[in-house]
Amino acid sequence: MRHTLAVLVENNPGVLTRVAGLFSRRGYNIDSLAVGRTENARISRMTIVVEGDDNVLEQVTKQLNKLIDVIKICDITSEQYVDRELVLIKVAADPSVRGEIMQIVDIFRARIVDIGRKTLMIECTGDEGKINAIIESLKPFGIRELVRTGKIAMLRGAKSTSVDGTDDSSNVINGNSNDREDD
């Protein structure tokens, strides 16, 4: 099962290295990882998608909680949330097929962001299913290059993973505390 974790961390140099190193040392595979600043410049938010059963999730969260930079961990997998990814796709597009590619771009509400002599660069945002679908639709034309961000996600409605005390999520997994467990 894939789990989506929202992890709030101190915005300090080396935090990403420590988190990635933790996963690497323990042999856990990160399916996707996206990190960026929050509304508070001192705090960054990581959205980590990890594959594994409940035991793997428990070990990952225990190890993350040991990192001093980690403020809060929320498993939002079973919550209602909005998620997005961004993809840039450079596709082969000689003049005879550009019209067909532009129709696909319209269907997916994507955008053409660059035009070359024989290529088009397409930008698309959406959930994983939409991103996978546009990639599959453009494969027959010849994808020359593709880059895809990891998933970012935010809880729907009043629920929050912020650190300002408004959290009413039932899936908070500890966080920056002094009562960390050793495994």
PDB file of all heavy atoms in Angstrom, residues 8 39-40 43 71-72 158 160-168:
ATOM      1  N   LEU A   8       6.268  18.089   8.447  1.00  0.00           N
ATOM      2  CA  LEU A   8       6.742  19.457   8.656  1.00  0.00           C
ATOM      3  C   LEU A   8       8.124  19.387   9.289  1.00  0.00           C
ATOM      4  O   LEU A   8       8.329  18.647  10.257  1.00  0.00           O
ATOM      5  CB  LEU A   8       5.785  20.229   9.563  1.00  0.00           C
ATOM      6  CG  LEU A   8       4.364  20.400   9.019  1.00  0.00           C
ATOM      7  CD1 LEU A   8       3.494  21.154  10.031  1.00  0.00           C
ATOM      8  CD2 LEU A   8       4.377  21.145   7.690  1.00  0.00           C
ATOM      9  N   GLU A  39       3.752  28.566   4.690  1.00  0.00           N
ATOM     10  CA  GLU A  39       3.418  29.958   4.946  1.00  0.00           C
ATOM     11  C   GLU A  39       4.356  30.575   5.973  1.00  0.00           C
ATOM     12  O   GLU A  39       4.475  31.792   6.067  1.00  0.00           O
ATOM     13  CB  GLU A  39       1.952  30.085   5.401  1.00  0.00           C
ATOM     14  CG  GLU A  39       1.626  29.503   6.765  1.00  0.00           C
ATOM     15  CD  GLU A  39       1.499  27.977   6.759  1.00  0.00           C
ATOM     16  OE1 GLU A  39       1.644  27.354   5.697  1.00  0.00           O
ATOM     17  OE2 GLU A  39       1.268  27.414   7.847  1.00  0.00           O
ATOM     18  N   ASN A  40       5.058  29.742   6.734  1.00  0.00           N
ATOM     19  CA  ASN A  40       6.066  30.166   7.698  1.00  0.00           C
ATOM     20  C   ASN A  40       7.437  29.841   7.096  1.00  0.00           C
ATOM     21  O   ASN A  40       7.762  28.676   6.906  1.00  0.00           O
ATOM     22  CB  ASN A  40       5.860  29.419   9.024  1.00  0.00           C
ATOM     23  CG  ASN A  40       6.851  29.826  10.088  1.00  0.00           C
ATOM     24  OD1 ASN A  40       7.921  30.363   9.794  1.00  0.00           O
ATOM     25  ND2 ASN A  40       6.497  29.552  11.323  1.00  0.00           N
ATOM     26  N   ILE A  43       9.664  26.992   8.307  1.00  0.00           N
ATOM     27  CA  ILE A  43       9.179  25.612   8.251  1.00  0.00           C
ATOM     28  C   ILE A  43       8.990  25.187   6.798  1.00  0.00           C
ATOM     29  O   ILE A  43       8.428  25.928   5.997  1.00  0.00           O
ATOM     30  CB  ILE A  43       7.841  25.478   9.018  1.00  0.00           C
ATOM     31  CG1 ILE A  43       8.051  25.817  10.489  1.00  0.00           C
ATOM     32  CG2 ILE A  43       7.268  24.074   8.854  1.00  0.00           C
ATOM     33  CD1 ILE A  43       6.771  25.886  11.287  1.00  0.00           C
ATOM     34  N   ILE A  71       9.243  18.289  12.802  1.00  0.00           N
ATOM     35  CA  ILE A  71       8.299  18.931  13.726  1.00  0.00           C
ATOM     36  C   ILE A  71       7.034  18.095  13.878  1.00  0.00           C
ATOM     37  O   ILE A  71       6.539  17.902  14.979  1.00  0.00           O
ATOM     38  CB  ILE A  71       7.933  20.350  13.209  1.00  0.00           C
ATOM     39  CG1 ILE A  71       9.190  21.213  13.134  1.00  0.00           C
ATOM     40  CG2 ILE A  71       6.878  20.991  14.102  1.00  0.00           C
ATOM     41  CD1 ILE A  71       8.991  22.510  12.357  1.00  0.00           C
ATOM     42  N   LYS A  72       6.538  17.596  12.761  1.00  0.00           N
ATOM     43  CA  LYS A  72       5.252  16.910  12.791  1.00  0.00           C
ATOM     44  C   LYS A  72       5.130  15.979  11.585  1.00  0.00           C
ATOM     45  O   LYS A  72       5.572  16.320  10.491  1.00  0.00           O
ATOM     46  CB  LYS A  72       4.138  17.961  12.724  1.00  0.00           C
ATOM     47  CG  LYS A  72       2.754  17.485  12.951  1.00  0.00           C
ATOM     48  CD  LYS A  72       1.844  18.704  12.917  1.00  0.00           C
ATOM     49  CE  LYS A  72       0.447  18.395  13.321  1.00  0.00           C
ATOM     50  NZ  LYS A  72      -0.388  19.615  13.309  1.00  0.00           N
ATOM     51  N   ALA A 158     -11.479  22.161   6.895  1.00  0.00           N
ATOM     52  CA  ALA A 158     -10.845  22.828   8.029  1.00  0.00           C
ATOM     53  C   ALA A 158      -9.654  22.080   8.582  1.00  0.00           C
ATOM     54  O   ALA A 158      -8.873  22.636   9.352  1.00  0.00           O
ATOM     55  CB  ALA A 158     -11.877  23.031   9.132  1.00  0.00           C
ATOM     56  N   SER A 160      -6.039  20.520   9.018  1.00  0.00           N
ATOM     57  CA  SER A 160      -4.764  21.120   8.682  1.00  0.00           C
ATOM     58  C   SER A 160      -3.626  20.292   9.253  1.00  0.00           C
ATOM     59  O   SER A 160      -3.796  19.596  10.251  1.00  0.00           O
ATOM     60  CB  SER A 160      -4.726  22.536   9.259  1.00  0.00           C
ATOM     61  OG  SER A 160      -3.439  23.065   9.191  1.00  0.00           O
ATOM     62  N   THR A 161      -2.476  20.406   8.638  1.00  0.00           N
ATOM     63  CA  THR A 161      -1.286  19.776   9.200  1.00  0.00           C
ATOM     64  C   THR A 161      -0.315  20.829   9.703  1.00  0.00           C
ATOM     65  O   THR A 161       0.834  20.549   9.931  1.00  0.00           O
ATOM     66  CB  THR A 161      -0.582  18.902   8.141  1.00  0.00           C
ATOM     67  OG1 THR A 161      -0.281  19.702   7.019  1.00  0.00           O
ATOM     68  CG2 THR A 161      -1.425  17.717   7.737  1.00  0.00           C
ATOM     69  N   SER A 162      -0.789  22.049   9.861  1.00  0.00           N
ATOM     70  CA  SER A 162       0.088  23.139  10.278  1.00  0.00           C
ATOM     71  C   SER A 162       0.500  22.964  11.737  1.00  0.00           C
ATOM     72  O   SER A 162      -0.009  22.107  12.442  1.00  0.00           O
ATOM     73  CB  SER A 162      -0.608  24.482  10.083  1.00  0.00           C
ATOM     74  OG  SER A 162      -1.680  24.598  10.987  1.00  0.00           O
ATOM     75  N   VAL A 163       1.409  23.796  12.178  1.00  0.00           N
ATOM     76  CA  VAL A 163       1.910  23.706  13.555  1.00  0.00           C
ATOM     77  C   VAL A 163       1.296  24.752  14.471  1.00  0.00           C
ATOM     78  O   VAL A 163       1.683  24.872  15.620  1.00  0.00           O
ATOM     79  CB  VAL A 163       3.446  23.868  13.598  1.00  0.00           C
ATOM     80  CG1 VAL A 163       4.102  22.702  12.935  1.00  0.00           C
ATOM     81  CG2 VAL A 163       3.876  25.168  13.007  1.00  0.00           C
ATOM     82  N   ASP A 164       0.281  25.461  13.983  1.00  0.00           N
ATOM     83  CA  ASP A 164      -0.273  26.549  14.787  1.00  0.00           C
ATOM     84  C   ASP A 164      -1.370  26.122  15.753  1.00  0.00           C
ATOM     85  O   ASP A 164      -2.058  26.942  16.323  1.00  0.00           O
ATOM     86  CB  ASP A 164      -0.789  27.666  13.884  1.00  0.00           C
ATOM     87  CG  ASP A 164      -1.974  27.234  13.043  1.00  0.00           C
ATOM     88  OD1 ASP A 164      -2.379  26.059  13.141  1.00  0.00           O
ATOM     89  OD2 ASP A 164      -2.490  28.068  12.284  1.00  0.00           O
ATOM     90  N   GLY A 165      -1.536  24.834  15.915  1.00  0.00           N
ATOM     91  CA  GLY A 165      -2.507  24.352  16.882  1.00  0.00           C
ATOM     92  C   GLY A 165      -3.892  24.146  16.340  1.00  0.00           C
ATOM     93  O   GLY A 165      -4.792  23.770  17.075  1.00  0.00           O
ATOM     94  N   THR A 166      -4.113  24.372  15.053  1.00  0.00           N
ATOM     95  CA  THR A 166      -5.450  24.191  14.489  1.00  0.00           C
ATOM     96  C   THR A 166      -5.661  22.780  13.970  1.00  0.00           C
ATOM     97  O   THR A 166      -6.682  22.481  13.400  1.00  0.00           O
ATOM     98  CB  THR A 166      -5.699  25.168  13.324  1.00  0.00           C
ATOM     99  OG1 THR A 166      -4.713  24.935  12.316  1.00  0.00           O
ATOM    100  CG2 THR A 166      -5.653  26.587  13.804  1.00  0.00           C
ATOM    101  N   ASP A 167      -4.696  21.915  14.210  1.00  0.00           N
ATOM    102  CA  ASP A 167      -4.763  20.565  13.676  1.00  0.00           C
ATOM    103  C   ASP A 167      -5.879  19.768  14.345  1.00  0.00           C
ATOM    104  O   ASP A 167      -5.962  19.661  15.541  1.00  0.00           O
ATOM    105  CB  ASP A 167      -3.433  19.864  13.912  1.00  0.00           C
ATOM    106  CG  ASP A 167      -3.378  18.519  13.229  1.00  0.00           C
ATOM    107  OD1 ASP A 167      -4.443  17.950  12.955  1.00  0.00           O
ATOM    108  OD2 ASP A 167      -2.267  18.056  12.975  1.00  0.00           O
ATOM    109  N   ASP A 168      -6.757  19.233  13.524  1.00  0.00           N
ATOM    110  CA  ASP A 168      -7.760  18.324  14.060  1.00  0.00           C
ATOM    111  C   ASP A 168      -7.694  16.979  13.342  1.00  0.00           C
ATOM    112  O   ASP A 168      -8.617  16.211  13.359  1.00  0.00           O
ATOM    113  CB  ASP A 168      -9.158  18.926  13.966  1.00  0.00           C
ATOM    114  CG  ASP A 168      -9.522  19.267  12.529  1.00  0.00           C
ATOM    115  OD1 ASP A 168      -8.694  19.101  11.637  1.00  0.00           O
ATOM    116  OD2 ASP A 168     -10.666  19.695  12.345  1.00  0.00           O
TER     117      ASP A 168
END
